[in-house]
Amino acid sequence: MPSSTGEGLERRYTLLFNPVPSQLKYPLPRIASSREGAAMDSKPEKPESREPVKVNEAVIQCPVCGKHTLRVEDYLYEIPMIGKVILTTGKCSNCGYRFNDVRLAEAQEPRKILLNVEKAEDLNALVVRASSASILIPELGMSMTPGPASEGFITTVEGVLERFLEALTAACSSPDADKEACEKAKRLIEDAKEGKLKFTLVLVNPEGVSTIVSSKARVEPVSKKELEELGYIVTNAPGEESSESGKN
């Protein structure tokens, strides 16, 4: 089983990217699946706690101030409808830098997950977006890609639209912003939030630790070209150079 650190990538690609949380390398524990856990524990079953359980802690170098004063903690948490996730928090005691991330505890292959949002109920589908994932809405011409301040989150499709609206509002506050284009984009998002506009939410999931919780969601492979177009730096995994070149 791939670990939560994204080892599943090496089946096809070795992926390198620059968001600050992804630069914070430290050992992560292997999370046993529910079946493995049952086999390992022969004690009588007890009611399962819903409280987060700390599974890792480390003090590492802060990417902002450069001091080894950034305390990173990982918590394993079971969320109804989603399953096991790892919540990561980090705080630098020197400069105050903070970050938060969330990812599925059991990584999958690099992939993209698509959801056709066709009615109001689809807006309630849950989205687990790790800091390394990108979100695209082609019909709105909008995208959310990893950056230095990228953080993971769990929200609904409507919550994703709200995040786009907040970012658009901030961008449109600039004196140089095209006010007409801003108003048009805002109307599109509002129509989408009200269920008046059909659209596709695409979650590009390079580490296999993000998901959309919906029976309508479909999974498709993500190509090296698609990742590169989104700004990811991708190299072939060892021993796969010939297979990639053979496709050209």
PDB file of all heavy atoms in Angstrom, residues 144-157:
ATOM      1  N   MET A 144      -7.216  26.857  -9.389  1.00  0.00           N
ATOM      2  CA  MET A 144      -6.562  27.021  -8.096  1.00  0.00           C
ATOM      3  C   MET A 144      -5.373  26.058  -8.094  1.00  0.00           C
ATOM      4  O   MET A 144      -5.559  24.845  -8.088  1.00  0.00           O
ATOM      5  CB  MET A 144      -7.538  26.682  -6.970  1.00  0.00           C
ATOM      6  CG  MET A 144      -6.986  26.830  -5.565  1.00  0.00           C
ATOM      7  SD  MET A 144      -8.187  26.206  -4.321  1.00  0.00           S
ATOM      8  CE  MET A 144      -9.624  27.225  -4.652  1.00  0.00           C
ATOM      9  N   THR A 145      -4.153  26.600  -8.146  1.00  0.00           N
ATOM     10  CA  THR A 145      -2.960  25.765  -8.232  1.00  0.00           C
ATOM     11  C   THR A 145      -2.060  26.011  -7.022  1.00  0.00           C
ATOM     12  O   THR A 145      -2.132  27.066  -6.387  1.00  0.00           O
ATOM     13  CB  THR A 145      -2.176  26.055  -9.522  1.00  0.00           C
ATOM     14  OG1 THR A 145      -1.883  27.454  -9.597  1.00  0.00           O
ATOM     15  CG2 THR A 145      -2.989  25.656 -10.751  1.00  0.00           C
ATOM     16  N   PRO A 146      -1.186  25.049  -6.693  1.00  0.00           N
ATOM     17  CA  PRO A 146      -0.321  25.204  -5.514  1.00  0.00           C
ATOM     18  C   PRO A 146       0.623  26.390  -5.639  1.00  0.00           C
ATOM     19  O   PRO A 146       1.105  26.717  -6.728  1.00  0.00           O
ATOM     20  CB  PRO A 146       0.469  23.884  -5.483  1.00  0.00           C
ATOM     21  CG  PRO A 146      -0.357  22.924  -6.253  1.00  0.00           C
ATOM     22  CD  PRO A 146      -1.018  23.732  -7.319  1.00  0.00           C
ATOM     23  N   GLY A 147       0.874  27.033  -4.529  1.00  0.00           N
ATOM     24  CA  GLY A 147       1.815  28.146  -4.463  1.00  0.00           C
ATOM     25  C   GLY A 147       2.474  28.165  -3.100  1.00  0.00           C
ATOM     26  O   GLY A 147       2.215  27.305  -2.252  1.00  0.00           O
ATOM     27  N   PRO A 148       3.335  29.147  -2.839  1.00  0.00           N
ATOM     28  CA  PRO A 148       4.068  29.214  -1.564  1.00  0.00           C
ATOM     29  C   PRO A 148       3.164  29.233  -0.332  1.00  0.00           C
ATOM     30  O   PRO A 148       3.559  28.772   0.729  1.00  0.00           O
ATOM     31  CB  PRO A 148       4.860  30.517  -1.692  1.00  0.00           C
ATOM     32  CG  PRO A 148       5.027  30.716  -3.157  1.00  0.00           C
ATOM     33  CD  PRO A 148       3.758  30.200  -3.782  1.00  0.00           C
ATOM     34  N   ALA A 149       1.950  29.781  -0.473  1.00  0.00           N
ATOM     35  CA  ALA A 149       1.053  29.866   0.680  1.00  0.00           C
ATOM     36  C   ALA A 149      -0.075  28.842   0.594  1.00  0.00           C
ATOM     37  O   ALA A 149      -1.073  28.943   1.306  1.00  0.00           O
ATOM     38  CB  ALA A 149       0.467  31.273   0.794  1.00  0.00           C
ATOM     39  N   SER A 150       0.073  27.846  -0.265  1.00  0.00           N
ATOM     40  CA  SER A 150      -0.989  26.868  -0.480  1.00  0.00           C
ATOM     41  C   SER A 150      -1.238  26.034   0.771  1.00  0.00           C
ATOM     42  O   SER A 150      -0.303  25.594   1.431  1.00  0.00           O
ATOM     43  CB  SER A 150      -0.604  25.948  -1.640  1.00  0.00           C
ATOM     44  OG  SER A 150      -1.611  25.002  -1.893  1.00  0.00           O
ATOM     45  N   GLU A 151      -2.510  25.823   1.089  1.00  0.00           N
ATOM     46  CA  GLU A 151      -2.903  24.990   2.226  1.00  0.00           C
ATOM     47  C   GLU A 151      -3.975  24.010   1.790  1.00  0.00           C
ATOM     48  O   GLU A 151      -4.739  24.262   0.848  1.00  0.00           O
ATOM     49  CB  GLU A 151      -3.426  25.848   3.380  1.00  0.00           C
ATOM     50  CG  GLU A 151      -2.361  26.728   4.020  1.00  0.00           C
ATOM     51  CD  GLU A 151      -2.841  27.345   5.320  1.00  0.00           C
ATOM     52  OE1 GLU A 151      -4.068  27.386   5.555  1.00  0.00           O
ATOM     53  OE2 GLU A 151      -1.998  27.777   6.118  1.00  0.00           O
ATOM     54  N   GLY A 152      -4.038  22.892   2.472  1.00  0.00           N
ATOM     55  CA  GLY A 152      -5.083  21.917   2.199  1.00  0.00           C
ATOM     56  C   GLY A 152      -6.363  22.282   2.929  1.00  0.00           C
ATOM     57  O   GLY A 152      -6.342  23.026   3.914  1.00  0.00           O
ATOM     58  N   PHE A 153      -7.493  21.749   2.452  1.00  0.00           N
ATOM     59  CA  PHE A 153      -8.764  22.022   3.117  1.00  0.00           C
ATOM     60  C   PHE A 153      -9.781  20.947   2.771  1.00  0.00           C
ATOM     61  O   PHE A 153      -9.637  20.201   1.795  1.00  0.00           O
ATOM     62  CB  PHE A 153      -9.310  23.400   2.732  1.00  0.00           C
ATOM     63  CG  PHE A 153      -9.465  23.637   1.246  1.00  0.00           C
ATOM     64  CD1 PHE A 153     -10.538  23.084   0.548  1.00  0.00           C
ATOM     65  CD2 PHE A 153      -8.560  24.416   0.552  1.00  0.00           C
ATOM     66  CE1 PHE A 153     -10.695  23.307  -0.807  1.00  0.00           C
ATOM     67  CE2 PHE A 153      -8.694  24.636  -0.818  1.00  0.00           C
ATOM     68  CZ  PHE A 153      -9.771  24.086  -1.498  1.00  0.00           C
ATOM     69  N   ILE A 154     -10.815  20.870   3.596  1.00  0.00           N
ATOM     70  CA  ILE A 154     -11.984  20.040   3.327  1.00  0.00           C
ATOM     71  C   ILE A 154     -13.181  20.971   3.284  1.00  0.00           C
ATOM     72  O   ILE A 154     -13.427  21.728   4.230  1.00  0.00           O
ATOM     73  CB  ILE A 154     -12.190  18.968   4.412  1.00  0.00           C
ATOM     74  CG1 ILE A 154     -10.983  18.025   4.479  1.00  0.00           C
ATOM     75  CG2 ILE A 154     -13.461  18.165   4.139  1.00  0.00           C
ATOM     76  CD1 ILE A 154     -11.067  17.005   5.606  1.00  0.00           C
ATOM     77  N   THR A 155     -13.920  20.931   2.191  1.00  0.00           N
ATOM     78  CA  THR A 155     -15.082  21.789   2.057  1.00  0.00           C
ATOM     79  C   THR A 155     -16.063  21.121   1.097  1.00  0.00           C
ATOM     80  O   THR A 155     -15.897  19.962   0.728  1.00  0.00           O
ATOM     81  CB  THR A 155     -14.674  23.195   1.551  1.00  0.00           C
ATOM     82  OG1 THR A 155     -15.808  24.061   1.586  1.00  0.00           O
ATOM     83  CG2 THR A 155     -14.109  23.153   0.145  1.00  0.00           C
ATOM     84  N   THR A 156     -17.089  21.829   0.701  1.00  0.00           N
ATOM     85  CA  THR A 156     -18.027  21.341  -0.300  1.00  0.00           C
ATOM     86  C   THR A 156     -17.723  22.007  -1.641  1.00  0.00           C
ATOM     87  O   THR A 156     -16.906  22.934  -1.719  1.00  0.00           O
ATOM     88  CB  THR A 156     -19.474  21.668   0.099  1.00  0.00           C
ATOM     89  OG1 THR A 156     -19.599  23.095   0.200  1.00  0.00           O
ATOM     90  CG2 THR A 156     -19.832  21.015   1.429  1.00  0.00           C
ATOM     91  N   VAL A 157     -18.400  21.556  -2.697  1.00  0.00           N
ATOM     92  CA  VAL A 157     -18.238  22.212  -3.998  1.00  0.00           C
ATOM     93  C   VAL A 157     -18.631  23.679  -3.890  1.00  0.00           C
ATOM     94  O   VAL A 157     -17.959  24.567  -4.425  1.00  0.00           O
ATOM     95  CB  VAL A 157     -19.085  21.500  -5.073  1.00  0.00           C
ATOM     96  CG1 VAL A 157     -19.064  22.275  -6.382  1.00  0.00           C
ATOM     97  CG2 VAL A 157     -18.579  20.079  -5.297  1.00  0.00           C
TER      98      VAL A 157
END
